[in-house]
Amino acid sequence: PLYRVRTICLVRRGDAVDFSSLEDLKKLGPERGRVLSVWGTGIASILRNTPGLAVDDSAKTVEDAIHKLHIGRGRVLIYHNLSLVYAAKKGQYEGKIRAVDIDYGKNPLLTDSYQYVAFSKRSDPAVRKIVNDAVRAARAEGELDRITSKYLR
């Protein structure tokens, strides 16, 4: 794998966090436990199909979802760290929101996933070798970690 992507939960900086799981958010109801996500994504679909969970996935972009969290339109924002961390850093929200750990239950689609390089069966073997060699070199030299740390941590 190139790198690992994690599903994370963001809250506003001052949130007392009286929950530790999706089940707890269900019990809090739509007023105190509304979950935000990004429209049209796999994570939003999974959350919407979780019985009893109040979900608002009307945000069209990650930045819109972070803004909705910031202004109190939802209690938490659940999405993957690849987009959330970068968007929070580049926006005006650094220091105003934070990540918290929650239990996503037994849903394997809300756990860590890994990203890979994939090639068509018809791709040129020389091109595959060039790309694979470049990835190996970037990993060995620490460049891959430097790049991903900008977006994942």
Side-chain angles (χ1 to χ4, degrees):
L2 284 176
Y3 54 87
R4 180 179 75 172
V5 175
R6 296 179 47 226
T7 300
I8 61 173
C9 177
L10 295 182
V11 297
R12 286 179 296 286
R13 174 63 64 196
D15 193 307
V17 186
D18 57 351
F19 57 89
S20 62
S21 67
L22 287 181
E23 288 301 315
D24 290 344
L25 287 167
K26 287 184 202 181
K27 292 174 190 169
L28 290 173
E31 294 308 312
R32 291 188 49 236
R34 183 167 309 281
V35 175
L36 301 170
S37 198
V38 180
W39 180 83
T41 63
I43 290 175
S45 178
I46 292 163
L47 294 170
R48 256 194 343 275
N49 289 312
T50 301
L53 192 63
V55 176
D56 174 352
D57 66 340
S58 62
K60 301 295 187 242
T61 67
V62 173
E63 292 81 6
D64 289 345
I66 292 172
H67 179 71
K68 289 180 82 161
L69 175 68
H70 179 68
I71 63 172
R73 295 281 176 92
R75 178 77 183 274
V76 302
L77 169 55
I78 298 176
Y79 201 54
H80 59 75
N81 62 335
L82 180 60
S83 294
L84 286 180
V85 171
Y86 181 71
K89 282 181 181 177
K90 79 172 189 162
Q92 63 205 32
Y93 304 108
E94 194 165 18
K96 297 178 182 177
I97 55 177
R98 64 187 173 101
V100 295
D101 290 325
I102 68 168
D103 178 4
Y104 296 106
K106 296 182 180 183
N107 192 324
L109 300 173
L110 291 177
T111 58
D112 295 357
S113 63
Y114 294 90
Q115 304 298 302
Y116 298 86
V117 173
F119 298 97
S120 163
K121 290 179 182 179
R122 295 185 206 122
S123 63
D124 183 340
V127 170
R128 287 197 306 258
K129 181 177 179 350
I130 290 168
V131 171
N132 284 327
D133 289 348
V135 168
R136 275 190 214 92
R139 178 171 281 122
E141 296 165 7
E143 184 63 19
L144 197 55
D145 285 338
R146 283 189 290 282
I147 293 169
T148 58
S149 69
K150 178 178 179 181
Y151 300 97
L152 298 174
R153 296 182 193 117

